[in-house]
Amino acid sequence: MKVRDLLAETEHCLWCGETYSEPMSWAAFLGESPLGRFCERCESMLVPIDQACLTCSKPGSLQCEDCVAWNEDPFWSCREFTNRSLYEYNPFLKEVIARFKYRGDAALAEAFSERIARAVHPGSIVTSIPLNDERHYERGFNQATLLAGRLKPVSLLERSLSSGKQSKRSREERIAAAEEQFRILPGAVGKTIVIVDDIYTTGATIRSAARLLYENGAKSVTGVTLARA
């Protein structure tokens, strides 16, 4: 047996189930968590975002049309909001998120929670986009809270009773539906807050939450999401 095999830890890929060896490193020796729980083949199907909009991480130009439109809103024209998305919402990640959210495979959050944690600036207060009670009961968990799990997110927002499924709506419908879908809880005043969610599509949901936090005294609000559609 080779030395490198002795210095590796056997894991099971959370997606395909195959065993793979996670090479030992100084980070692991010092007790730091590894970045993920995917084998090399599955990991290679994730596409990290590189050249992208500086405001929302949309792949392509440094300023996308969505953010130009948001900046025309009087509220956002004088307030900063940036979202960092880690990966492109390609067919592979779309299937991963679908299995995670809609088919109850909550363990998949383990593949991304450390990556989300490393994208958040130390010292920030972390919260997650909440689900309404009905949706939370159906799924048994809040996917955004699990993704933010290593950061010990706090509850600063509640979802309204009737928010509906954003995935079935157009951009205009998403923005209109997002305006009154959250209620604020105490704890935002004077804080630097990071909102964690799974997917950034039009920005309607996360910006609606950010707006409410700003209106209730937050010093700064930014977003971190797993995928950018």
Side-chain angles (χ1 to χ4, degrees), residues 125-169:
I125 301 297
V126 176
T127 193
S128 56
I129 293 292
L131 298 176
N132 64 39
D133 291 344
E134 180 182 358
R135 193 66 47 74
H136 197 286
Y137 177 78
E138 290 174 354
R139 292 183 188 169
F141 58 86
N142 179 344
Q143 72 278 356
T145 301
L146 291 185
L147 289 172
R150 292 188 185 274
L151 299 163
K152 297 180 172 58
V154 299
S155 296
L156 296 177
L157 300 161
E158 287 183 338
R159 202 79 177 231
S160 63
L161 294 177
S162 57
S163 56
K165 289 188 176 181
Q166 288 287 71
S167 60
K168 304 296 184 181
R169 292 173 169 150

Side-chain angles (χ1 to χ4, degrees), residues 18 24 28 36 38 45 67 77 83 112 115 117 122 128 140 147-148 167 178 183 194 198 205:
E18 292 294 321
M24 291 297 290
F38 284 158
M45 292 191 283
C67 290
S77 65
N83 168 75
F112 302 110
R115 306 169 200 231
S128 56
L147 289 172
S167 60
R183 293 187 295 269
V194 177
D198 55 347
T205 298

Side-chain angles (χ1 to χ4, degrees), residues 15-176:
W15 180 252
C16 71
E18 292 294 321
T19 58
Y20 68 98
S21 295
E22 185 75 44
M24 291 297 290
S25 63
W26 280 111
F29 180 76
L30 294 172
E32 296 181 11
S33 300
L35 269 181
R37 298 278 302 281
F38 284 158
C39 66
E40 185 175 354
R41 183 179 67 84
C42 292
E43 184 74 30
S44 70
M45 292 191 283
L46 294 170
V47 180
I49 291 176
D50 186 12
Q51 181 80 1
C53 175
L54 297 176
T55 301
C56 74
S57 292
K58 184 176 183 178
S61 65
L62 296 181
Q63 186 175 44
C64 71
E65 293 180 357
D66 287 346
C67 290
V68 170
W70 280 115
N71 288 335
E72 293 174 354
D73 183 309
F75 183 88
W76 292 113
S77 65
C78 57
R79 292 174 180 83
E80 290 189 3
F81 180 82
T82 58
N83 168 75
R84 181 182 175 188
S85 294
L86 303 188
Y87 299 102
E88 294 183 17
Y89 193 47
N90 66 357
F92 174 68
L93 187 53
K94 185 175 183 178
E95 180 61 22
V96 171
I97 292 176
R99 193 166 99 181
F100 172 37
K101 287 173 64 171
Y102 305 121
R103 298 198 284 279
D105 195 349
L108 283 167
E110 296 176 20
F112 302 110
S113 58
E114 181 65 25
R115 306 169 200 231
I116 292 286
R118 295 189 187 189
V120 172
H121 192 277
S124 302
I125 301 297
V126 176
T127 193
S128 56
I129 293 292
L131 298 176
N132 64 39
D133 291 344
E134 180 182 358
R135 193 66 47 74
H136 197 286
Y137 177 78
E138 290 174 354
R139 292 183 188 169
F141 58 86
N142 179 344
Q143 72 278 356
T145 301
L146 291 185
L147 289 172
R150 292 188 185 274
L151 299 163
K152 297 180 172 58
V154 299
S155 296
L156 296 177
L157 300 161
E158 287 183 338
R159 202 79 177 231
S160 63
L161 294 177
S162 57
S163 56
K165 289 188 176 181
Q166 288 287 71
S167 60
K168 304 296 184 181
R169 292 173 169 150
S170 67
R171 171 185 166 80
E172 292 74 19
E173 289 170 337
R174 285 171 181 262
I175 293 172

